[in-house]
Amino acid sequence: MIKKVPHTYVIVFSLIVIAAVATWFVPGGEYVPAGEIPEDGSAPEVVFKRVESQPQTWQVFSALFEGFEKQSGIIVFILMIGGAFWILNDSKAIDIGILSFLNFTRKLDKHKAIRIIGANNLIIVMIMLMFSVFGAVFGMSEETIAFVVILVPLAISMGYDSIMGVAMVFVAAGLGFAGAVLNPFTIGIAQGLAGLPLFSGFEYRLFCWIVINIVGISYVLWYGSRIKKDPARSPVYEEDHHWRHEISENSTATNHATYKASWVIYFLLLAALILFSVQWPSTTLKIGGGEGITGWFIPALTALFAIMGFIALRKSSPAFVLVILGFTILFLIVGVMGFGWYIMEIATLFFAMGILSGIAMNNSADRITHLFLEGAKDIMSAALIVGLARGIIVILENGKIVHTILHAMAGGMQDLGNIASVSVMYVIQTLINIIIPSGSAKAALTMPIMAPFSDLIGLSRQATVMAFQFGDGFTNLITPTSGVLIGVLGVARIPYVKWARWIGPLITILIILGFLLLIPTVTMNLNGF
């Protein structure tokens, strides 16, 4: 008899209850600065002190409200993305793009060299490397939610499943995040608090990034080859009926008309981009915390839009909408790397994309509004679960036991050798990441403790940062307290339990790999260590 898998909501709420029970038995505590905070931004001395615990009872029900408050940005982001893409999907532009992409891959298979490798394998590797670079360079995380809507249908159209679609974007970005080389939100903050030169130890981090990607991408390709041979073996075969139904419905839908409204949108967008080009003729794209690359990126994109938009309009309005989508993604990259955009700006960008796409398809204001509401309604469950998942952390923080747990873990590193010490730090960071999935928040909490402690035991602070980096990265792909993971799974319609079963073996491999990659940081004379 097959046991029914509990709903994701049930699993997360059960974890909230377990966290509340823990607040009755775990003593309260907190770390406080032992003296003045250093002016250079390095880690201050901290001491642990006992405080009165705050046992949680009825708060298990109010945790959803507080979770919504704390995760409001991601929740609104998901709703706006859902509504915008529903408008875009109504144009059939994505379906036309996927069909053209599949035709392109079939042409690639005609070349003998590519046929040996497999066109699909080559495309998967290229897509995953791109998102991995984004994760390693600017810490792409929340942004992956928007791309899931595109890559899941693409993966299923290629003969795979929704897990492969999520793997191509979310797992790839996670691999890059774990093997980060220039991520300012994790490496930058951690090294700053540890008093280390920003992004020092780059060479070994780059090596680790390469190794981690080889292992992670190989796992995804292995899984993909099995599903490609027999799609029914997919653990989410039944759940993917929704996507298959959508794809089959839209596969025959074609629209070769070019509406006058599309031309109006084209000239309005072109005029706006010209104004932006005049205002920001030169933009510096910052890679990590370095000086960055300065160039005429906005004027170049404006000129490219003028050409590609005109060519697309000669073909059809849906083709033009596809161009709008493509340039939305390009401007997202420029915005994040050049202007420090976060989820508010990104949500605004995609919202504008949805509205402009609707107008370009000659839809009325009422029709666009109806489509947006339908999309928000369809993705509402994904938004709700993000708030609920945050409730776990809310209970632990309000119960005053997070620092107590950290203090108890740190106490286990006394009188250990360097390899054992850095391994214990890695374990601690991994376990803490289950409770605090935010890399920057965990760096601010743990590095002031770990950095001075590493000096006492004769351990390199750079090795301590590496232990933080790996501990922070790998479990992001599985921890139910991660609003991004829960949001991604909600959008892709993948039950958490099925995802955990699939990603579990890869997480185990990556954690073991992390141990192995940490050994050279204390046994070899590496640059920056």
Side-chain angles (χ1 to χ4, degrees):
M1 181 178 178
I2 300 175
K3 293 182 179 180
K4 184 179 179 181
V5 176
H7 194 284
T8 303
Y9 279 60
V10 176
I11 296 170
V12 174
F13 187 75
S14 298
L15 293 174
I16 291 177
V17 173
I18 293 171
V21 171
T23 62
W24 283 82
F25 300 99
V26 179
E30 63 181 2
Y31 280 101
V32 295
E36 295 183 1
I37 299 175
E39 295 182 0
D40 60 2
S42 61
E45 293 288 338
V46 293
V47 294
F48 178 79
K49 71 172 186 178
R50 293 290 183 187
V51 298
E52 187 177 348
S53 62
Q54 302 292 327
Q56 305 290 288
T57 53
W58 59 270
Q59 289 89 346
V60 296
F61 301 107
S62 65
L64 176 61
F65 183 88
E66 290 192 58
F68 258 73
E69 280 190 321
K70 294 182 182 296
Q71 293 286 63
S72 58
I74 295 180
I75 291 169
V76 175
F77 177 75
I78 291 174
L79 292 175
M80 292 183 73
I81 290 293
F85 270 96
W86 201 271
I87 299 171
L88 188 77
N89 286 337
D90 185 68
S91 71
K92 312 302 179 189
I94 292 180
D95 305 295
I96 292 172
I98 289 174
L99 184 63
S100 300
F101 185 80
L102 294 176
N103 289 333
F104 171 72
T105 60
R106 294 188 188 102
K107 292 178 182 178
L108 285 178
D109 266 331
K110 293 180 181 179
H111 299 279
K112 185 177 179 181
I114 295 178
R115 190 163 59 246
I116 294 172
I117 301 171
N120 284 353
N121 291 336
L122 184 62
I123 289 165
I124 290 169
V125 170
M126 290 175 65
I127 291 174
M128 290 190 71
L129 283 177
M130 178 181 69
F131 282 107
S132 181
V133 168
F134 292 161
V137 171
F138 62 83
M140 174 178 263
S141 182
E142 288 87 350
E143 300 89 340
T144 57
I145 297 173
F147 290 96
V148 168
V149 185
I150 303 171
L151 288 176
V152 166
L154 173 62
I156 292 174
S157 298
M158 292 170 69
Y160 300 110
D161 61 1
S162 55
I163 287 179
M164 280 294 291
V166 171
M168 282 193 280
V169 53
F170 178 70
V171 172
L175 295 173
F177 199 92
V181 290
L182 298 170
N183 184 353
F185 303 108
T186 55
I187 303 303
I189 293 174
Q191 287 186 326
L193 291 171
L196 296 169
L198 197 62
F199 304 116
S200 53
F202 172 84
E203 298 88 346
Y204 187 64
R205 281 193 172 82
L206 181 61
F207 170 79
C208 292
W209 177 82
I210 293 171
V211 173
I212 289 169
N213 275 276
I214 289 173
V215 172
I217 293 174
S218 298
Y219 182 87
V220 172
L221 290 176
W222 167 78
Y223 172 78
S225 66
R226 296 177 66 216
I227 299 303
K228 184 78 171 176
K229 293 175 183 176
D230 184 8
R233 295 181 67 178
S234 168
V236 291
Y237 185 75
E238 293 182 4
E239 286 79 5
D240 285 348
H241 173 73
H242 165 82
W243 298 105
R244 289 193 296 270
H245 177 70
E246 272 198 358
I247 293 168
S248 64
E249 270 195 345
N250 298 330
S251 60
T252 57
T254 55
N255 184 350
H256 299 292
T258 300
Y259 301 108
K260 291 181 180 179
S262 295
W263 284 102
V264 173
I265 293 298
Y266 169 71
F267 286 113
L268 284 175
L269 276 175
L270 188 57
L273 291 177
I274 290 172
L275 289 175
F276 291 154
S277 299
V278 172
Q279 188 171 2
W280 292 289
S282 179
T283 306
T284 301
L285 302 186
K286 294 182 179 179
I287 302 175
E291 295 182 358
I293 303 171
T294 302
W296 292 3
F297 295 106
I298 294 179
L301 287 177
T302 299
L304 190 61
F305 173 79
I307 297 170
M308 294 189 65
F310 183 81
I311 294 173
L313 283 169
R314 297 293 299 272
K315 186 176 181 180
S316 68
S317 286
F320 175 63
V321 170
L322 200 60
V323 170
I324 293 177
L325 172 62
F327 277 86
T328 297
I329 295 171
L330 290 175
F331 275 101
L332 181 152
I333 296 170
V334 172
V336 169
M337 299 182 69
F339 299 93
W341 284 6
Y342 194 45
I343 54 176
M344 183 190 77
E345 293 85 357
I346 297 169
T348 303
L349 181 67
F350 278 101
F351 179 65
M353 175 204 73
I355 300 298
L356 294 172
S357 298
I359 297 173
M361 291 304 296
N362 207 33
N363 289 321
S364 65
D366 283 353
R367 171 69 176 165
I368 293 172
T369 302
H370 174 75
L371 289 170
F372 182 85
L373 292 176
E374 283 292 312
K377 178 183 176 182
D378 184 69
I379 210 166
M380 178 64 76
S381 61
L384 288 172
I385 193 62
V386 170
L388 185 61
R390 177 68 184 193
I392 302 170
I393 303 171
V394 167
I395 292 293
L396 294 173
E397 288 177 341
N398 291 348
K400 305 291 184 182
I401 65 172
V402 171
H403 289 203
T404 303
I405 295 171
L406 176 60
H407 180 68
M409 291 179 175
M413 288 187 291
Q414 300 289 349
D415 304 321
L416 297 175
N418 283 350
I419 294 178
S421 294
V422 76
S423 298
V424 172
M425 283 186 176
Y426 176 41
V427 171
I428 290 172
Q429 295 287 5
T430 299
L431 294 175
I432 289 294
N433 196 53
I434 298 173
I435 304 172
I436 308 173
S438 169
S440 54
K442 190 160 76 281
L445 175 64
T446 62
M447 292 314 297
I449 304 163
M450 298 298 186
F453 186 79
S454 63
D455 294 337
L456 295 176
I457 61 177
L459 191 66
S460 164
R461 287 195 173 196
Q462 199 73 262
T464 303
V465 172
M466 286 290 289
F468 157 78
Q469 175 183 339
F470 293 154
D472 172 63
F474 298 138
T475 47
N476 281 334
L477 300 174
I478 196 171
T479 175
T481 57
S482 169
V484 179
L485 169 62
I486 298 300
V488 164
L489 297 183
V491 172
R493 299 172 183 269
I494 299 174
Y496 173 78
V497 171
K498 292 190 175 183
W499 172 260
R501 288 175 181 169
W502 179 82
I503 198 73
L506 176 59
I507 295 295
T508 303
I509 294 169
L510 291 174
I511 288 176
I512 294 171
L513 180 63
F515 276 113
L516 298 176
L517 291 174
L518 282 172
I519 293 174
T521 67
V522 295
T523 60
M524 297 176 65
N525 186 22
L526 301 171
N527 186 33
F529 286 77

